[in-house]
Amino acid sequence: MATADLREELTCPICLSLYTDPVTLSCGHNFCLGCIESVLGTQEGSGVYSCPECRETFTQKPKLQRNIALCNVMKHLQITQTEQKDTGVLCTYCVHSPVPAAKSCLLCEASLCDTHLRVHSKSEEHVLTEPTTSWGNRKCYKHRELLKYYCTEDAACICVSCSMAGEHRGHQVELLNEASEKKKKKLRNVLQKLTTKREKTEKRVQSLQEHRRGVQEKAAGVTERLTALIRDIRKQLEDLEKRVLSDITRQQEQVLLPISDLIQQLEKEKNELTRKMSHIEELCNMTDPLTVLQEQESHRDDFCGTEKGDNEVTQRGDKQVPAGGDLDEGLISVTLYRGLADIVTDVKRELYVQVTSDILLDINTAHNNVIVSGDLKTASWLRINQQRPETPERFTVYPQVLSTRSFSSGQHYWKVETSKSGVWCVGVCYTSMERGAGGQSVIGENNKSWCLYSDYYKGLSVQHNTILTSLHPPLSCDTVGILLDYEAGCLTFYELCDLIRHLHTVTVTFTELLHAAFYVWDDGACVRIIR
């Protein structure tokens, strides 16, 4: 936008608007081409022409010289104003060349540039505001007067007539500036609250983004690690396959070598027998008795030899295959088993989860209605009281049992097979949990135990300190995995179907020895620790 001084220099003295196609008289003053031609046209009858600016006279109609420099300036200014025309408010009175407005008069409902603003009325009725084209919301729609007051009762901007004689008469009113400042104060308070809330939201977004990056980095690390592990397993399996196949090939060669020798010997004997048979057949086919009889002595030796050979063949036939002439499948199985066991041992060493296989039920803690199997792996509910001796460790009211194994560090994982009927829960508890009467001795109903709980209606939940966290959907199979990470303070439950499902993770700081804990109630209820 041009400044006020520049706009004054570029204003035509006749139309008081920016030059349109500016031309210059010989006296040096500039005018719009259309404006000066109109003035000179009115002077033709008098025979004397004069400059409207300096009043210099000319006996002949002055020649109009186009001002090239000023035309270029106006052209550039028009381009700038055209760009501003799309977003700004234009002066109402600059009709020949659009000029951005500096102020708007609410009384005149007109917008003014700096030039027209200087000659505009300065009286109080002519209220000047920032450039606008919205006049309707500045005046009262009933009285067509300027809105000067704010009615606090109706929360409306009103004019003087509304306040004195209109529907807002007698209402408490404030000047617009005062009401505006009060509203701004409230808005600043709201803004401060929103700013604080936005900062908290930004911090939470940043925290979640960091957590997401952490999960992504961890997933990438685990993926790389397990990919390398599986690649190593594949290589070990390939090596084991080569070793087992090599053993099979070696055994095959050891077995087949004596068999091949025996076959070769028997083939020789078969050929010899064939030769003797052919000779005998020739004798049998002879018609000359003398010839047959003369061959009798020499044939007797063949005949005796044949009987002896038959005996040897018969004896050899009783033992067709040499001793040890078969594959030792047991040896092959042992080789394969040991190789697989070594691979599994290496895998366990690399995995995060160490399977705890020595979890057994402590019969000294078992309630008298809990049956413990002989292998100490299964706990079942039975109505008949077992009449076990009372011990400080035994649960006396609720059908529960703990493991003999305790955990004070490390990672541990075990699997439990659950029943489809009755009520059961599986989890962990501190050694110091109550064993006698009262809710403090029920797994999950105190601050010393955590469990996965299945009720009569097969509803599934995680319980701690009497607080139930419902899980959906319910179990779709009967096997549950439990992962305990003592140092990390995590207890996680999994559903071990074809597709393993994460059920819930409890996060807590463990401070005491933990035991695996089991609860069974009602007919058919049982849990079994799977090896």
Side-chain angles (χ1 to χ4, degrees):
M1 185 194 312
T3 63
D5 293 337
L6 178 59
R7 192 176 290 117
E8 184 176 355
E9 292 294 330
L10 300 177
T11 300
C12 173
I14 298 175
C15 67
L16 299 179
S17 298
L18 292 178
Y19 289 120
T20 302
D21 198 7
V23 294
T24 305
L25 297 180
S26 57
C27 61
H29 291 105
N30 300 302
F31 305 92
C32 295
L33 176 61
C35 293
I36 189 62
E37 283 183 342
S38 177
V39 171
L40 295 177
T42 62
Q43 297 176 352
E44 286 183 358
S46 63
V48 179
Y49 300 91
S50 64
C51 172
E53 184 73 13
C54 65
R55 301 301 177 182
E56 181 179 346
T57 60
F58 308 95
T59 56
Q60 294 181 353
K61 186 176 181 180
K63 293 182 179 180
L64 303 177
Q65 184 68 34
R66 192 166 182 236
N67 192 326
I68 302 299
L70 195 56
C71 284
N72 291 334
V73 172
M74 295 308 301
K75 182 178 180 181
H76 176 74
L77 182 61
Q78 287 175 357
I79 293 174
T80 305
Q81 291 175 343
T82 301
E83 294 174 353
Q84 296 174 344
K85 185 177 180 181
D86 296 336
T87 56
V89 178
L90 302 179
C91 178
T92 304
Y93 302 108
C94 293
V95 294
H96 295 289
S97 178
V99 178
K103 293 289 182 178
S104 292
C105 177
L106 300 182
L107 181 62
C108 302
E109 294 189 0
S111 299
L112 306 102
C113 63
D114 288 335
T115 301
H116 290 99
L117 185 62
R118 285 197 299 271
V119 297
H120 190 71
S121 174
K122 301 297 189 294
S123 63
E124 294 183 357
E125 292 85 4
H126 294 269
V127 179
L128 298 176
T129 66
E130 294 302 315
T132 181
T133 57
S134 302
W135 314 108
N137 59 0
R138 296 284 182 170
K139 292 185 177 182
C140 175
Y141 71 96
K142 284 187 177 181
H143 306 106
R144 302 306 299 169
E145 296 180 8
L146 291 177
L147 299 174
K148 291 186 175 181
Y149 300 102
Y150 180 76
C151 177
T152 58
E153 295 184 21
D154 297 329
C157 296
I158 61 176
C159 67
V160 175
S161 297
C162 289
S163 175
M164 300 298 294
E167 60 185 23
H168 298 279
R169 184 177 58 183
H171 292 184
Q172 183 178 355
V173 298
E174 297 177 345
L175 293 175
L176 292 181
N177 288 340
E178 295 176 356
S180 175
E181 288 301 321
K182 289 182 179 179
K183 185 172 182 179
K184 287 180 180 179
K185 185 177 180 180
K186 293 180 180 179
L187 290 175
R188 290 188 187 99
N189 292 333
V190 174
L191 180 62
Q192 181 62 39
K193 293 179 180 179
L194 293 177
T195 301
T196 303
K197 187 174 182 180
R198 186 182 67 177
E199 290 175 353
K200 291 181 179 179
T201 303
E202 289 176 348
K203 289 181 180 179
R204 187 177 180 188
V205 169
Q206 183 178 2
S207 175
L208 290 173
Q209 288 175 341
E210 292 175 355
H211 180 68
R212 180 175 63 183
R213 284 194 297 270
V215 171
Q216 291 172 340
E217 291 173 359
K218 184 175 181 180
V222 172
T223 300
E224 182 180 359
R225 178 173 170 271
L226 292 183
T227 300
L229 177 61
I230 293 173
R231 185 167 53 247
D232 183 62
I233 293 173
R234 190 179 293 113
K235 184 177 181 304
Q236 292 186 60
L237 286 173
E238 290 174 354
D239 293 341
L240 178 60
E241 180 186 18
K242 292 177 181 178
R243 188 164 65 251
V244 172
L245 294 179
S246 177
D247 287 347
I248 294 174
T249 301
R250 179 179 52 79
Q251 285 195 40
Q252 176 182 276
E253 291 175 352
Q254 291 177 350
V255 171
L256 293 183
L257 182 60
I259 293 177
S260 298
D261 293 341
L262 181 58
I263 290 173
Q264 188 176 2
Q265 293 177 11
L266 292 175
E267 286 290 343
K268 290 181 180 180
E269 292 181 5
K270 186 185 73 170
N271 293 335
E272 181 63 22
L273 291 173
T274 301
R275 185 190 63 78
K276 292 181 178 180
M277 288 172 60
S278 299
H279 181 66
I280 294 174
E281 287 177 354
E282 290 179 359
L283 292 176
C284 291
N285 292 329
M286 288 183 181
T287 57
D288 184 6
L290 183 60
T291 302
V292 174
L293 293 175
Q294 287 177 345
E295 289 291 332
Q296 184 177 4
E297 295 299 328
S298 60
H299 177 68
R300 184 178 299 167
D301 294 336
D302 293 338
F303 181 76
C304 294
T306 299
E307 289 182 346
K308 181 179 180 181
D310 290 343
N311 292 333
E312 291 178 356
V313 171
T314 302
Q315 293 174 1
R316 197 178 288 121
D318 294 338
K319 199 174 186 180
Q320 292 285 338
V321 181
D326 203 353
L327 292 180
D328 189 347
E329 294 186 37
L331 179 60
I332 296 171
S333 298
V334 170
T335 302
L336 181 61
Y337 177 81
R338 289 188 59 184
L340 292 174
D342 291 341
I343 293 174
V344 171
T345 301
D346 292 340
V347 171
K348 287 182 177 180
R349 191 180 299 113
E350 294 292 330
L351 286 177
Y352 294 116
V353 180
Q354 299 295 327
V355 178
T356 305
S357 59
D358 59 344
I359 294 182
L360 302 175
L361 300 177
D362 185 359
I363 198 168
N364 292 324
T365 66
H367 183 268
N368 282 329
N369 289 112
V370 175
I371 300 297
V372 178
S373 62
D375 61 358
L376 305 180
K377 291 288 185 179
T378 303
S380 307
W381 187 84
L382 187 67
R383 293 182 183 274
I384 301 175
N385 191 305
Q386 302 300 298
Q387 301 295 327
R388 296 190 182 102
E390 293 186 5
T391 62
E393 299 85 5
R394 191 177 307 285
F395 290 102
T396 58
V397 177
Y398 296 98
Q400 302 173 146
V401 61
L402 302 183
S403 65
T404 56
R405 172 77 181 270
S406 62
F407 313 105
S408 60
S409 63
Q411 292 179 327
H412 306 275
Y413 175 76
W414 62 97
K415 297 185 293 182
V416 179
E417 187 178 30
T418 62
S419 60
K420 291 181 174 59
S421 58
V423 178
W424 56 262
C425 68
V426 294
V428 296
C429 72
Y430 287 144
T431 305
S432 60
M433 190 181 77
E434 295 290 336
R435 310 298 173 94
Q440 292 300 308
S441 64
V442 183
I443 299 170
E445 295 191 7
N446 52 67
N447 61 357
K448 296 186 177 184
S449 60
W450 301 261
C451 71
L452 180 69
Y453 172 71
S454 176
D455 58 25
Y456 281 108
Y457 308 101
K458 311 316 295 177
L460 195 65
S461 59
V462 170
Q463 186 173 8
H464 169 66
N465 204 17
T466 70
I467 298 175
L468 285 171
T469 302
S470 298
L471 305 179
H472 301 284
L475 292 178
S476 56
C477 64
D478 57 5
T479 306
V480 173
I482 303 172
L483 174 61
L484 169 65
D485 190 332
Y486 194 95
E487 282 81 7
C490 291
L491 177 67
T492 305
F493 299 97
Y494 298 94
E495 180 186 42
L496 303 181
C497 299
D498 292 338
L499 181 62
I500 298 177
R501 175 166 68 105
H502 173 267
L503 296 175
H504 189 78
T505 295
V506 176
T507 303
V508 64
T509 301
F510 297 119
T511 58
E512 301 180 30
L513 286 175
L514 287 170
H515 290 265
F518 307 88
Y519 174 103
V520 287
W521 173 257
D522 209 353
D523 293 334
C526 72
V527 291
R528 176 169 180 78
I529 303 169
I530 303 174
R531 294 186 181 275

